[in-house]
């Protein structure tokens, strides 16, 4: 996903709760492993969502927000 450009594999993000989506389509753009592997980011067209909190995820969250801003300007 373009949203994750510049973010290293196995980076850490802040999660508050333990539920997660189980998408019916091929819209998965990110997985997380914490005991089990689960979907933590989805994307379809110009719609995207993350299970984790960008605003609480430090530099990695800010990078995703910057990527989104750049993507919107294109």
């Amino acid at each position: 996903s373009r949203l994750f450009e510049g973010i290293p594999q196995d980076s850490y993000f802040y999660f508050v709760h333990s539920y997660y989506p189980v998408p019916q389509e091929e819209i998965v753009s990110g997985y997380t492993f914490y005991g089990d592997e689960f979907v933590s980011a989805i994307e379809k067209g110009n719609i995207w969502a993350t299970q984790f909190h960008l605003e609480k995820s430090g530099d990695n969250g800010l990078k995703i927000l910057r990527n989104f801003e750049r993507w919107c300007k294109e």
Side-chain angles (χ1 to χ4, degrees):
S1 171
R2 293 170 33 183
L3 292 176
F4 292 99
E5 287 178 2
I7 297 176
Q9 183 78 13
D10 299 325
S11 291
Y12 290 91
F13 293 92
Y14 185 86
F15 290 79
V16 174
H17 34 68
S18 59
Y19 57 87
Y20 53 87
V22 181
Q24 297 294 319
E25 299 179 47
E26 294 296 321
I27 60 174
V28 176
S29 59
Y31 289 95
T32 294
F33 183 83
Y34 188 75
D36 288 315
E37 184 178 78
F38 58 91
V39 173
S40 57
I42 59 173
E43 182 178 333
K44 183 173 182 176
N46 64 350
I47 299 171
W48 64 278
T50 62
Q51 177 65 12
F52 49 88
H53 288 260
L54 297 171
E55 77 283 3
K56 295 183 177 188
S57 294
D59 291 338
N60 290 329
L62 288 173
K63 179 67 175 165
I64 289 177
L65 289 170
R66 286 186 195 111
N67 287 343
F68 178 71
E69 177 185 29
R70 188 183 65 224
W71 185 21
C72 289
K73 289 179 179 179
E74 291 179 359

